[in-house]
Amino acid sequence: MRRYLKVMLMLILTVEIFAEYKFPMKNPYVATIVGSSKIMTEGIPNEVPTKEYEILMERSKKIPDNLWYDKGFKFSLSKQKGQAPLIFVLSGTGSAYNSTRTKNFQKIFYNAGYHVLTVTSVFNSNFILNVSNSRVPGVLIQDGLDLYNVMGDMLDKVKQEENLHITDTYLMGYSMGATHSAVLSYLDSVGKDFNFKRVYMVNPAINLYHSATVLDDMLIKNIKNKGEISKIVDEVMDAVKRNISPSDLQITEESIYSIFEKQKLSDKEMERLIGLAFNLTSIDLNYVVDQINGTHVYSKTRPEKFDSMFKYFEAINFANFSDYLNNLAYPYYLKILGGDLKFNDVIKYGDLRIIRNYLKNESKIVAVTNEDDFILAERDKQFIKDVFKEQSLIYPVGGHCGNMFYQTNVDKMLEFLKTGVFNNEL
C-alpha cells in the first residue's frame, strides 16, 4: 500500500510539473518546424522601425565577381526615440541579420524598450566574405574575435549616424548565435569594449561538431543515397515556387519550414526536412569557403560574374558539414597550426568546454534549452546544468528553437534581462 501511494504521489508531482509548462507542441520535430519562426507572445507588433546598414570592410574589396551581391557587411538597427538599453541579437547557424527568427527577436526586444542591433551568423556567406579573418569558420575563439570586432564597428557606425543614446548593453543569441554569445561574453571580460550587462543564450550548441553531425545524419539516415536528395530538392523547389512570389524567392531553412508546416508529415519525413534545410546551409558554406580560399576541393575554376552556377553546385554534390570540416576546415588549420594538429583538436576548438572555467563563474549569463533538443548530447545538457546551475533552465519540450517565441519563454528572458534575476522554475 505504501509503495502504491508513493508511486501515485510521484505520478501526480510529475504531471503537475509538466502541466505548468503548456507549450502545445510535444513532438520535437513539429516544434522545430512549426514553432521556431512563429511568435506565440501577445502584444508583439508585426513591424518595428528598422533601418539597414552596410559596412565596407577591407575584405569587402576582395570579394569575387560572381559574389558581388554580398559586398559589404550588412546589419540592421531598430532605434528607440530616446535613451534606452541596447541589445545585440546573434543569428542562428548560417542565418542573416534579417532572417525571420532574428527579426522576431528584434520585434520582441524593441517592444520591450531596447535599441536592437541584429547580427548575421559567422557561417553566412556575407560574414565569411566581408568579416572573417580565417575565411574558414568553425573555431569558436577566432570566430568570436571576428564577431567582437565587427560588432564594435556596427556600434560605432550607428552611434555616429543615428545619435544613439545607450544606457547599458546586452547580448543574446539563439542556436549557434547563443554559443557565440558565451564566447563574446568571455572576450568582453578581457576587452571591455561593450561591458555586457547581461547575456541570454537560447538553445546553444555546446559541441559544434556533434550538433552538426546530428543534423547531417537526420538527412543521411532517411535517404538511400545522395541521388535521392536531388529528387527531394526538386519537390521542395516546386513547393517553393507555388508558395513564394518570385520577388521573395529565397530558399532558406525558414522558408522551407513555412511551406511544409501545415502538411502532415511522419517523423521520418520531418527529420529529413530538418536535415535538408541544414544541408542547404552546408552547401553554401562548402562552396564559398572553397572558392575564396582557392582550395579547389570542389572545382578547379573560378566562375565569372554571370556564369551559371549549376556545374559548381553539381561538383559539391550536396556536401554536408562533416564534409566541410574534413575537406576544408581541418586541412586549413593543419596547414596554419602545424603537423601535430589532430582532427579531434579542431573539434575541441568548436566546443564551449574550452571556456568552462569562465562560464561557471559568470553570473550574468543565462542558458536555456529543451530536454528534447536533438542537437544536444546528454553530456551537453549535463554541461549546461553543471556550469550554469541556477542560471539555466531545461524546458521539458520544444525541440530545437521551437519554443523560443512562446509566452513563458519570452517572459522569463525579458525578466532576467531587466532585473538580473532568473526564475528557473517552470
Side-chain angles (χ1 to χ4, degrees):
M1 187 66 178
R2 287 180 181 176
R3 179 180 293 179
Y4 174 77
L5 289 173
K6 186 176 180 181
V7 171
M8 287 300 295
L9 180 60
M10 288 177 65
L11 286 172
I12 290 169
L13 287 172
T14 302
V15 169
E16 285 181 352
I17 288 170
F18 280 85
E20 289 177 6
Y21 187 64
K22 298 178 181 178
F23 182 70
M25 302 168 204
K26 309 306 180 187
N27 183 306
Y29 307 133
V30 172
T32 301
I33 293 171
V34 179
S36 61
S37 301
K38 191 185 299 297
I39 291 182
M40 292 174 274
T41 307
E42 293 181 1
I44 306 302
N46 291 327
E47 299 293 336
V48 296
T50 303
K51 185 175 179 180
E52 299 197 346
Y53 301 83
E54 182 179 292
I55 300 176
L56 288 175
M57 317 290 289
E58 189 60 33
R59 294 194 176 278
S60 303
K61 303 172 186 175
K62 303 173 185 177
I63 288 178
D65 288 344
N66 67 304
L67 298 172
W68 57 270
Y69 51 84
D70 254 330
K71 187 173 184 178
F73 181 67
K74 300 171 177 62
F75 64 97
S76 74
L77 168 71
S78 286
K79 176 189 172 185
Q80 299 289 338
K81 290 182 179 178
Q83 182 175 270
L86 177 138
I87 189 163
F88 286 93
V89 177
L90 301 188
S91 303
T93 313
S95 294
Y97 70 98
N98 59 353
S99 66
T100 299
R101 297 173 192 174
T102 304
K103 285 168 68 177
N104 282 349
F105 277 117
Q106 189 172 32
K107 295 171 189 176
I108 287 167
F109 287 124
Y110 180 83
N111 190 61
Y114 293 83
H115 304 302
V116 189
L117 278 169
T118 59
V119 190
T120 289
S121 166
V122 302
F123 290 102
N124 184 281
S125 60
N126 187 255
F127 190 98
I128 297 170
L129 291 164
N130 291 279
V131 179
S132 176
N133 279 293
S134 69
R135 300 187 296 183
V136 185
V139 170
L140 287 180
I141 298 299
Q142 176 62 61
D143 295 342
L145 284 168
D146 290 336
L147 267 172
Y148 193 75
N149 290 329
V150 81
M151 285 163 59
D153 293 338
M154 292 166 59
L155 190 54
D156 289 343
K157 186 174 181 68
V158 295
K159 277 183 176 178
Q160 181 180 356
E161 295 186 11
E162 301 297 333
N163 194 26
L164 204 64
H165 296 288
I166 301 168
T167 53
D168 295 298
T169 305
Y170 298 78
L171 176 65
M172 78 79 54
Y174 65 93
S175 192
M176 195 63 200
T179 311
H180 285 126
S181 294
V183 176
L184 285 168
S185 183
Y186 165 71
L187 294 173
D188 195 53
S189 69
V190 178
K192 306 291 186 185
D193 287 358
F194 303 101
N195 290 306
F196 296 120
K197 189 168 184 177
R198 293 181 191 108
V199 180
Y200 203 84
M201 303 165 60
V202 177
N203 290 98
I206 303 303
N207 181 289
L208 174 59
Y209 179 72
H210 170 79
S211 294
T213 302
V214 168
L215 291 166
D216 284 343
D217 288 346
M218 290 177 81
L219 176 61
I220 293 168
K221 72 181 182 182
N222 288 305
I223 58 173
K224 295 176 183 176
N225 52 57
K226 277 197 171 183
E228 195 174 345
I229 303 179
S230 296
K231 298 177 183 177
I232 301 169
V233 170
D234 287 341
E235 292 173 7
V236 170
M237 288 297 295
D238 287 341
V240 168
K241 289 174 185 175
R242 288 195 305 270
N243 290 276
I244 298 179
S245 66
S247 61
D248 295 325
L249 189 56
Q250 289 188 357
I251 312 303
T252 65
E253 181 181 35
E254 291 158 345
S255 65
I256 291 173
Y257 287 173
S258 69
I259 291 165
F260 288 91
E261 68 177 6
K262 292 185 175 70
Q263 298 189 21
K264 292 194 182 220
L265 305 175
S266 66
D267 281 0
K268 178 177 179 178
E269 289 170 326
M270 286 189 286
E271 274 194 320
R272 190 172 66 182
L273 188 65
I274 293 167
L276 176 64
F278 181 68
N279 185 237
L280 296 180
T281 298
S282 299
I283 291 170
D284 195 43
L285 177 65
N286 275 279
Y287 170 71
V288 170
V289 171
D290 187 40
Q291 183 182 341
I292 63 174
N293 287 289
T295 46
H296 302 303
V297 170
Y298 300 108
S299 176
K300 304 300 180 188
T301 61
R302 174 173 285 190
E304 298 298 325
K305 188 170 185 177
F306 298 111
D307 276 1
S308 167
M309 298 303 297
F310 178 76
K311 63 181 179 180
Y312 297 97
F313 286 107
E314 187 178 40
I316 290 173
N317 191 27
F318 301 105
N320 57 29
F321 198 87
S322 296
D323 294 323
Y324 166 72
L325 288 176
N326 282 285
N327 297 336
L328 295 168
Y330 175 59
Y332 169 82
Y333 286 105
L334 181 63
K335 182 178 178 181
I336 296 296
L337 299 176
D340 292 334
L341 185 76
K342 302 293 188 291
F343 183 77
N344 283 344
D345 294 328
V346 177
I347 293 173
K348 288 177 185 175
Y349 295 144
D351 194 311
L352 270 185
R353 290 171 179 85
I354 61 174
I355 57 170
R356 180 189 181 109
N357 288 338
Y358 164 75
L359 294 175
K360 72 179 183 180
N361 293 308
E362 184 51 82
S363 61
K364 70 180 179 185
I365 305 175
V366 160
V368 300
T369 190
N370 303 317
E371 187 62 45
D372 60 354
D373 187 346
F374 40 78
I375 75 163
L376 298 179
E378 285 303 319
R379 67 188 293 262
D380 295 332
K381 285 181 276 189
Q382 193 60 49
F383 173 85
I384 291 172
K385 294 175 185 176
D386 292 344
V387 169
F388 298 100
K389 297 184 175 65
E390 67 276 2
Q391 296 292 99
S392 69
L393 176 58
I394 299 181
Y395 293 98
V397 292
H400 182 60
C401 296
N403 57 344
M404 61 187 182
F405 301 124
Y406 182 56
Q407 185 79 57
T408 300
N409 297 53
V410 171
D411 289 345
K412 285 182 181 292
M413 175 178 68
L414 294 179
E415 180 185 26
F416 167 73
L417 291 171
K418 182 178 180 180
T419 68
V421 178
F422 182 59
N423 175 13
N424 65 354
E425 307 242 339
L426 286 174

